[in-house]
Amino acid sequence: MTSLGFNMAGQLPPIIIARRDYARLERLATNAVRERHTVGRFLLSEIRRAVVFDTNNIPDGVTRINEWVTYRVDGSRQSESRVLVYPDELRNDQIGLSVLSPLGAALLGVSIGHRIKFFSNEGGPHSVIVEDVRAPTGAPLLFPLKARRKAARAFPDPHGPDDDGPQVA
């Protein structure tokens, strides 16, 4: 399965991924392709075309892992909001959305106002537009991500931004 996600000009919307998530997402997608998961190739293609930013420099309005996203599928009148998560961290289908689902893979790294097309597990074409990336009114407080980010900025990693630790030259 491939993505046919296009914006109004007929081009794929840009994808932005945090450096801290990139390697894990790539491993997840590569393993999914190897295991012939229906979304593996789509997720891998989205990750490979992404622009990778240092985690603290992700522009506002971008759909991110462990963050809320409000979206509308196929022009529905009703928006939905979920937290985009890794599949092994999905605890509640009413709140979480796996990045290894067709919809989750389509939403990854897309900015507010952008639309992308994707195929459901059944093979039907759909499109989704990102409406917001903040928790909706009344949403449960799942984890204080903003507070953790502020703390991380106050006490930067001595190895540098998004450092994966020692590297062999």
Side-chain angles (χ1 to χ4, degrees):
M1 272 180 226
T2 59
S3 164
L4 294 178
F6 298 98
N7 63 19
M8 295 301 207
Q11 298 175 348
L12 289 168
I15 303 296
I16 297 172
I17 296 177
R19 186 173 316 282
R20 73 158 183 243
D21 295 325
Y22 186 83
R24 184 174 177 187
L25 285 165
E26 189 172 45
R27 278 191 310 273
L28 174 68
T30 300
N31 289 338
V33 168
R34 189 176 310 120
E35 295 169 6
R36 296 187 178 173
H37 189 285
T38 57
V39 181
R41 288 185 191 275
F42 175 41
L43 180 59
L44 190 58
S45 70
E46 292 297 277
I47 292 166
R48 289 198 171 148
R49 72 181 188 86
V51 176
V52 179
F53 276 73
D54 284 337
T55 302
N56 293 331
N57 293 328
I58 296 284
D60 291 338
V62 173
T63 304
R64 300 170 57 163
I65 294 289
N66 292 326
E67 299 266 344
W68 284 95
V69 57
T70 299
Y71 55 89
R72 191 178 307 261
V73 176
D74 294 334
S76 170
R77 291 181 184 217
Q78 184 67 35
S79 295
E80 296 182 51
S81 297
R82 301 274 190 286
V83 176
L84 189 62
V85 297
Y86 291 105
D88 61 328
E89 296 173 357
L90 182 62
R91 304 287 181 256
N92 180 334
D93 289 337
Q94 299 299 311
I95 296 172
L97 175 65
S98 171
V99 72
L100 198 52
S101 68
L103 177 58
L107 288 169
L108 177 67
V110 177
S111 299
I112 294 172
H114 287 161
R115 179 181 309 272
I116 189 164
K117 294 182 182 179
F118 66 99
F119 289 96
S120 67
N121 283 331
E122 296 77 30
H126 299 279
S127 76
V128 61
I129 188 166
V130 176
E131 293 185 340
D132 205 346
V133 293
R134 294 175 295 179
T137 304
L141 180 61
L142 302 175
F143 27 76
L145 291 174
K146 302 286 186 207
R148 280 192 284 170
R149 264 197 223 110
K150 287 179 184 174
R153 288 184 187 133
F155 301 101
D157 185 342
H159 300 291
D162 298 320
D163 186 50
D164 292 327
Q167 302 288 322
V168 176

